[in-house]
Amino acid sequence: MNKWFPRRHIMRPSQYAAGLSVLLLLVCVYGGALQAVFNTGEPYPWRHLWQDDYLHRVLLFSFGQASLSAFLSVFIGGIFARAFFYQSFKGKDFLLKIFSLTFVLPSLVAIFGLLGIYGSSGWAVKLLQAVHIQWRPDIYGLSGILIAHLFFNIPLAVRMFLQGLHNIPNQQRQLAAQLNLRGWQFIRLIELPYLRQQLLPVFMLIFTLCFTSFAIVLTLGGGPKYTTLEVAIYQAIIFDFDLAKAALFALLQFVFCFALFGLSALFSAAPETNLSYKELWIAKQSSAVKIWQILVLILVGLFILLPLVNIVAAAFSAEEFISAWQDPQLWRAMGFSFTIAPLSACLSLLMSMGLLLLSRRLVWLHLTKIANVIMNLGMLILAVPGLILAVGLFLLLQKMEFGTAHLFAVMVMCNAFSAMPFVIRILAPAMNNNMQYYEKLCQSLGIRGWQRFRLIEQHKLVQPIKYAFALACTLSLGDFTAIALFGSQQFSSLPYLLYQQLGSYRGDQAAVTALVLLLMCLLIFILVEGAKNSDKNENANDKT
C-alpha cells in the first residue's frame, strides 16, 4: 500500500471534482481581486506612508475606536453577565433571545433604532426636556460609533461570559460559601480563572469586528475626522475616485485583517456560545449586591431593547406609513433583497459542501494536513474584508458595461463568499461524522452520489443545512458592503435603500424599510432557533 495514498483503491475523481472546482473558483476570484487591488495605479513609495498625516489619523482612529469598543463591550458585558447569571426574573429567556437577535440584525436597522433613542430629537432628549433639562446629544462621531458597537457587541460578550460562569462546578461554589468567600475574593478565586479563558478571545473577536466595521462608521462617523481604514477605501473610490489610494488602503486593510485573523486563531480556545443549562447551585446574594445587579439588568436591558422598540413604534406612528408602502423603490429593493439572499445562501451552501466533501475525503485517506490546508483556505475568507473583494471586482470589471443581471450575479457571489466561513463551521461536524460512521457501510453496499445523500446522510444533515441556510440568508439580507459600491437607483437592496433614506432625512420611509428588515430578520431568527433546538433534541435522543 502506498504510504502517501494508503486507500488509493477507493479514490474516484468524481469525489473531488466539486471541492477542486470550489477551490479553483476561490483562488481565481480572490486572487484576481487582490491582484487587481495591488496592481492599481502608480507605484506608491512606501516611505510616503510615514509622512501621510491623513493615513496616520485614519489608522489611529481605526485602532483607537476598536480598542475602546472592545474594552467597553468586555467590561459592560462581564458585569451584565454576572448580574444575569445570579438573578432570576420573569422574561430571562426572552431577554437572552433578544440578545441573540442582535447577532443577525443588519447594522443599518440598529442604527435607525439608535438614532430614534439617542438622536437630536430622540426619546432621550424628549425625556430630559420633560424634566426641564436642556441637553442635546450629538450621536454623530465617536460617541455614536461606540454606542452602535456596544449595542452589537455587549450581547456577544454576555453570551460568551455566561458560558464561562456556567462552567464553574457547583462544588466550588459550595466550598466558597462554606469558607465565606464573598465579593472580590469570590470573583478573584472562583470566577476569574474561568472567565480569564474567555477574556482574550472575546476581546480579540470584538476588536476585529469593530476594526472592520463599515456601515456603522460610514453612517455615524459624521465626517473625515472619524474615518476608519475600511471607510477610507470607500471614500477614495466613491468621492475622490482615487483608485491608487484605495488600493493602498485596501492593501493595508488586508495586512491588518490577516494579522488580526492570525492573532484570533492563536487564541484557538474558540468560545462556545451554546449555553449548557445544568442544575446550578448559587449562594444567596446580599441585598446590596442584588440591588446593584438588578440596576445593571435594567440599564443594559433597556439599552438593547429600546432601539428595537423604537423601530416598530416609528414605523406604525409614521404619517406616511401608507404612502411609504406605495414607493416603487421599496418594492424594487425588496425584490432584489429577497432574491439575492436565498440565492447567495444556496450558493454558499453548495460551495461549502463541495469543500467539505473534498476535505473529509482527504481525512479519510489519512491526508489530514492537506485537508486542514483546504479548510483554512475556506476560513481565510474572513481575513479578506468584503469591501476589498468588492473593490477588486470593481477594478477587474470596471471596463465592462454592467447591466442589472451582471450586478445581480456579482452581489450573489460576494454575499455567498462572505457567508462561507460560517456555513463551513456549521456543516463540518455533521459531514465529518457521517464520513466516519457510514463510509464503510456505503462502500460495502455500493451507495454513491445522490443516493448516498438521500438514504444515509440527509438524516444528520437536514437540521445543520437549515440552520446554515437561514444564517447565510440573514447575513446576505443585511449586507451593505458590496451594494455600497455597486448599488444605484435601478439596482438596490433594502440596506442600500435604508442608507439613502437616512442620508436624505426621509424618516417615515426609513422607518418602514427598517421595519421590513427587522421582521424578516426576526422570522429567519425564529427559524434559526427552531433548527438549533431540533438539532439539540435530535442529538439528545441519539445519546439516549
Side-chain angles (χ1 to χ4, degrees):
M1 185 177 290
N2 190 307
K3 67 177 183 178
W4 298 106
F5 299 99
R7 299 179 181 180
R8 62 182 178 181
H9 60 285
I10 56 173
M11 291 178 67
R12 300 183 187 91
S14 60
Q15 294 171 337
Y16 307 93
L20 291 175
S21 301
V22 175
L23 271 182
L24 185 63
L25 183 65
L26 280 176
V27 171
C28 288
V29 172
Y30 275 85
L34 291 175
Q35 187 182 19
V37 168
F38 298 155
N39 292 338
T40 298
E42 296 294 326
Y44 191 91
W46 284 89
R47 62 179 181 277
H48 289 181
L49 286 177
W50 307 108
Q51 302 165 356
D52 191 333
D53 292 335
Y54 174 71
L55 180 59
H56 294 169
R57 195 166 59 248
V58 167
L59 287 177
L60 187 64
F61 182 75
S62 300
F63 281 99
Q65 63 84 20
S67 303
L68 198 54
S69 299
F71 172 77
L72 290 174
S73 299
V74 169
F75 181 70
I76 299 173
I79 293 175
F80 183 84
R82 287 195 77 247
F84 189 87
F85 182 78
Y86 287 110
Q87 298 302 321
S88 297
F89 56 92
K90 289 184 179 178
K92 195 170 182 178
D93 290 340
F94 171 76
L95 187 59
L96 198 60
K97 288 184 185 301
I98 291 295
F99 274 37
S100 300
L101 175 64
T102 61
F103 300 156
V104 296
L105 197 66
S107 302
L108 287 169
V109 176
I111 288 169
F112 178 82
L114 292 168
L115 285 171
I117 303 298
Y118 307 103
S120 57
S121 58
W123 291 6
V125 171
K126 292 175 182 174
L127 180 65
L128 292 174
Q129 287 176 346
V131 293
H132 306 291
I133 298 177
Q134 299 299 324
W135 179 67
R136 286 189 177 276
D138 184 10
I139 196 172
Y140 294 99
L142 179 61
S143 58
I145 293 170
L146 287 179
I147 288 173
H149 282 167
L150 290 177
F151 175 83
F152 280 105
N153 294 315
I154 285 177
L156 181 62
V158 168
R159 294 278 301 191
M160 293 179 173
F161 285 137
L162 278 177
Q163 184 63 53
L165 291 171
H166 274 273
N167 289 339
I168 300 175
N170 286 336
Q171 293 83 354
Q172 289 194 17
R173 298 183 188 281
Q174 291 165 346
L175 181 61
Q178 288 177 353
L179 297 175
N180 199 27
L181 288 178
R182 292 180 178 276
W184 170 243
Q185 290 298 322
F186 180 80
I187 295 174
R188 187 172 67 86
L189 296 175
I190 305 298
E191 293 181 343
L192 207 53
Y194 289 90
L195 295 179
R196 193 183 295 134
Q197 299 170 8
Q198 312 279 15
L199 274 175
L200 275 178
V202 173
F203 184 88
M204 282 306 302
L205 177 61
I206 295 177
F207 182 91
T208 306
L209 291 173
C210 296
F211 185 81
T212 55
S213 175
F214 175 67
I216 290 173
V217 180
L218 181 65
T219 311
L220 295 177
K225 186 179 177 183
Y226 302 108
T227 299
T228 58
L229 202 52
E230 190 131 342
V231 175
I233 298 170
Y234 174 80
Q235 291 172 341
I237 294 176
I238 300 298
F239 301 138
D240 305 332
F241 204 69
D242 189 342
L243 297 181
K245 186 195 286 184
L248 173 67
F249 290 168
L251 175 61
L252 288 174
Q253 177 81 348
F254 174 73
V255 170
F256 288 132
C257 286
F258 194 80
L260 288 173
F261 180 79
L263 282 174
S264 300
L266 194 62
F267 306 114
S268 56
E272 295 288 339
T273 54
N274 293 328
L275 303 182
S276 57
Y277 288 99
K278 61 185 179 184
E279 190 172 346
L280 295 171
W281 184 91
I282 296 175
K284 188 177 179 182
Q285 303 285 310
S286 67
S287 298
V289 171
K290 198 169 182 178
I291 291 171
W292 161 250
Q293 291 185 340
I294 290 174
L295 183 66
V296 170
L297 286 172
I298 292 173
L299 291 178
V300 179
L302 288 176
F303 178 74
I304 301 296
L305 285 173
L306 283 180
L308 301 177
V309 174
N310 174 64
I311 295 168
V312 179
F316 285 105
S317 62
E319 295 179 359
E320 300 179 14
F321 181 78
I322 301 297
S323 60
W325 284 100
Q326 298 170 347
D327 184 0
Q329 284 189 342
L330 175 65
W331 290 99
R332 190 183 301 120
M334 285 171 63
F336 281 121
S337 285
F338 295 162
T339 48
I340 288 173
L343 285 176
S344 61
C346 287
L347 183 60
S348 185
L349 272 176
L350 291 174
M351 291 193 298
S352 301
M353 292 182 76
L355 268 189
L356 286 168
L357 284 172
L358 175 61
S359 167
R360 74 175 190 175
R361 177 62 59 183
L362 292 173
V363 172
W364 178 255
L365 297 174
H366 302 303
L367 301 173
T368 310
K369 290 183 178 177
I370 301 177
N372 289 339
V373 169
I374 291 172
M375 290 300 295
N376 285 332
L377 280 175
M379 301 302 292
L380 268 176
I381 293 171
L382 282 175
V384 184
L387 187 62
I388 293 183
L389 175 63
V391 170
L393 292 176
F394 174 80
L395 295 173
L396 272 179
L397 307 173
Q398 61 179 324
K399 293 181 181 176
M400 286 180 59
E401 189 161 341
F402 261 62
T404 302
H406 299 98
L407 291 171
F408 187 88
V410 169
M411 283 297 303
V412 169
M413 187 182 295
C414 286
N415 290 350
F417 282 138
S418 300
M420 265 188 74
F422 304 99
V423 176
I424 287 175
R425 291 194 69 166
I426 294 168
L427 296 182
M431 290 193 67
N432 291 334
N433 287 341
N434 278 348
M435 189 72 180
Q436 296 301 319
Y437 295 152
Y438 304 120
E439 175 61 16
K440 289 182 179 176
L441 174 67
C442 292
Q443 284 182 21
S444 63
L445 297 177
I447 302 175
R448 301 174 193 166
W450 170 249
Q451 292 301 323
R452 172 172 173 152
F453 178 81
R454 187 176 67 86
L455 297 174
I456 305 292
E457 299 208 30
Q458 60 107 0
H459 303 289
K460 295 289 183 185
L461 282 177
V462 166
Q463 293 303 334
I465 286 176
K466 286 182 183 174
Y467 177 39
F469 177 82
L471 188 63
C473 214
T474 311
L475 292 174
S476 174
L477 197 63
D479 181 76
F480 180 64
T481 308
I483 194 71
L485 279 181
F486 297 110
S488 65
Q489 290 292 328
Q490 289 71 36
F491 180 75
S492 66
S493 66
L494 286 172
Y496 185 78
L497 178 63
L498 181 57
Y499 175 73
Q500 288 184 317
Q501 290 168 338
L502 287 173
S504 56
Y505 301 101
R506 288 180 284 165
D508 287 353
Q509 294 173 330
V512 173
T513 308
L515 178 67
V516 172
L517 271 172
L518 177 66
L519 291 179
M520 283 306 301
C521 290
L522 189 61
L523 177 64
I524 296 174
F525 170 74
I526 292 171
L527 294 175
V528 167
E529 287 293 308
K532 283 171 69 177
N533 292 335
S534 302
D535 203 19
K536 285 179 187 174
N537 293 335
E538 192 170 317
N539 290 335
N541 292 333
D542 289 347
K543 288 178 182 176
T544 55

